[in-house]
């Protein structure tokens, strides 16, 4: 079964850092990009960023709202992607989902999400 | 403000057909593919349409997608109570090098 499981969420103070993990199973991790998408309380979906697969240099892209503060990486040996979030702001409070990004086939498998709350 | 515009809500009765629109521009939808995601209450999003009108394996054929010019639509026929959810359109933004989502449409099955 294809699965993505997010972890690492929690309560953090503004200005601090947090690292989320997206652990995958059931498919060849190296064959896919990974996207992160967030959803603030009561709001819609917002794409956060993604990381391409290694043949494409593991290139990353970010939404303007997080560029320079968030970094996405991947560890092929662990079939895991990471979202490093620095200089967190209250407006980063959201459920964070990772998804298998299949390009023209869309974000076709999603994790269950992990909640990040930024508050003093 | 999203570059993709969806109506905030839609409703229909069981068995009816409902369509949800997604309006873009020549840069969004006009020259890109559209994707649709269903988000049931309290759940993660799920892909229901990719590349404008293709259904992933396991998605009922009651769901269909179409695109014309700078607009796209998701149609659900034979509406069921379990279709009550939020629906989001999305497309790839070359200038952003990332995905953009519409604001979402809350579908109510009366």
């Amino acid at each position: 079964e294809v699965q993505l499981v997010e972890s690492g969420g929690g309560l953090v103070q503004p200005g601090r850092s947090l690292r989320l993990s997206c652990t995958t199973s059931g498919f060849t991790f190296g064959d896919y990009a990974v996207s992160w998408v967030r959803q603030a309380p009561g709001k819609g979906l917002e794409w956060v960023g993604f990381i391409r697969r290694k043949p494409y240099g593991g290139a990353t892209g970010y939404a303007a709202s997080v560029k320079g503060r968030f970094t996405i990486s991947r560890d092929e040996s662990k079939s895991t992607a990471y979202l490093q979030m620095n200089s967190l702001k209250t407006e980063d409070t959201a459920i964070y989902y990772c998804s298998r990004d299949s390009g023209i086939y869309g974000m076709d498998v999603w994790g269950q999400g992990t909640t990040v709350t930024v508050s003093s | 403000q999203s570059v993709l515009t969806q109506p905030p809500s839609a409703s229909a009765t069981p068995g009816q057909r409902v369509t949800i629109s997604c309006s873009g521009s020549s840069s969004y939808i006009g020259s890109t593919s559209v994707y649709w995601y269903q988000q049931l209450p309290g759940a993660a999003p799920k892909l229901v349409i990719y590349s404008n009108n293709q259904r992933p394996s396991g998605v009922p054929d009651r769901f269909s997608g179409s695109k014309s010019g700078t607009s796209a639509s998701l149609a659900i026929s034979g509406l069921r109570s379990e279709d009550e959810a939020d629906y989001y359109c999305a497309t790839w933004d070359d200038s952003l090098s990332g995905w953009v989502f519409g604001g979402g449409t809350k579908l109510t099955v009366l």
Side-chain angles (χ1 to χ4, degrees):
Chain A
E1 181 191 4
V2 175
Q3 274 194 314
L4 293 86
V5 178
E6 302 92 339
S7 61
L11 173 64
V12 61
Q13 293 180 326
R16 303 298 290 264
S17 299
L18 201 61
R19 188 180 81 158
L20 306 183
S21 299
C22 172
T23 303
T24 74
S25 60
F27 66 98
T28 302
F29 180 69
D31 287 348
Y32 294 89
V34 174
S35 271
W36 287 90
V37 175
R38 68 183 180 183
Q39 186 169 36
K43 301 297 184 182
L45 302 176
E46 179 189 16
W47 178 79
V48 172
F50 82 127
I51 185 164
R52 294 190 188 273
R53 53 196 182 105
K54 285 303 185 185
Y56 290 87
T60 54
Y62 302 94
S65 58
V66 306
K67 201 168 187 177
R69 298 188 299 123
F70 290 11
T71 303
I72 300 173
S73 60
R74 59 190 294 157
D75 185 334
E76 308 298 319
S77 68
K78 296 182 178 179
S79 298
T80 298
Y82 302 97
L83 177 63
Q84 177 68 42
M85 304 184 293
N86 298 331
S87 303
L88 281 161
K89 306 176 181 180
T90 55
E91 52 263 42
D92 295 320
T93 294
I95 298 174
Y96 284 75
Y97 299 99
C98 65
S99 64
R100 187 176 77 171
D101 192 331
S102 299
I104 63 170
Y105 301 102
M107 290 174 276
D108 62 350
V109 186
W110 294 64
Q112 85 290 350
T114 187
T115 300
V116 173
T117 303
V118 184
S119 174
S120 55
Chain B
Q1 286 294 71
S2 175
V3 296
L4 302 179
T5 302
Q6 297 181 238
S9 63
S11 62
T13 57
Q16 281 191 322
R17 182 176 185 270
V18 66
T19 61
I20 296 172
S21 63
C22 177
S23 177
S25 67
S26 58
S27 299
Y28 304 99
I29 299 183
S31 57
T32 61
S33 291
V34 179
Y35 301 76
W36 290 92
Y37 296 89
Q38 174 196 61
Q39 188 176 33
L40 296 171
K46 172 189 173 185
L47 179 69
V48 292
I49 294 290
Y50 68 93
S51 295
N52 303 321
N53 55 17
Q54 302 299 301
R55 275 188 315 276
S57 174
V59 174
D61 59 6
R62 302 184 297 106
F63 289 81
S64 62
S66 64
K67 188 182 95 166
S68 178
T70 60
S71 292
S73 293
L74 172 70
I76 310 171
S77 59
L79 201 61
R80 298 182 173 185
S81 58
E82 57 260 39
D83 297 330
E84 187 162 287
D86 293 323
Y87 291 85
Y88 296 88
C89 61
T91 193
W92 180 261
D93 182 341
D94 276 335
S95 61
L96 171 67
S97 289
W99 295 98
V100 290
F101 287 95
T105 298
K106 182 177 181 61
L107 174 62
T108 300
V109 180
L110 301 170

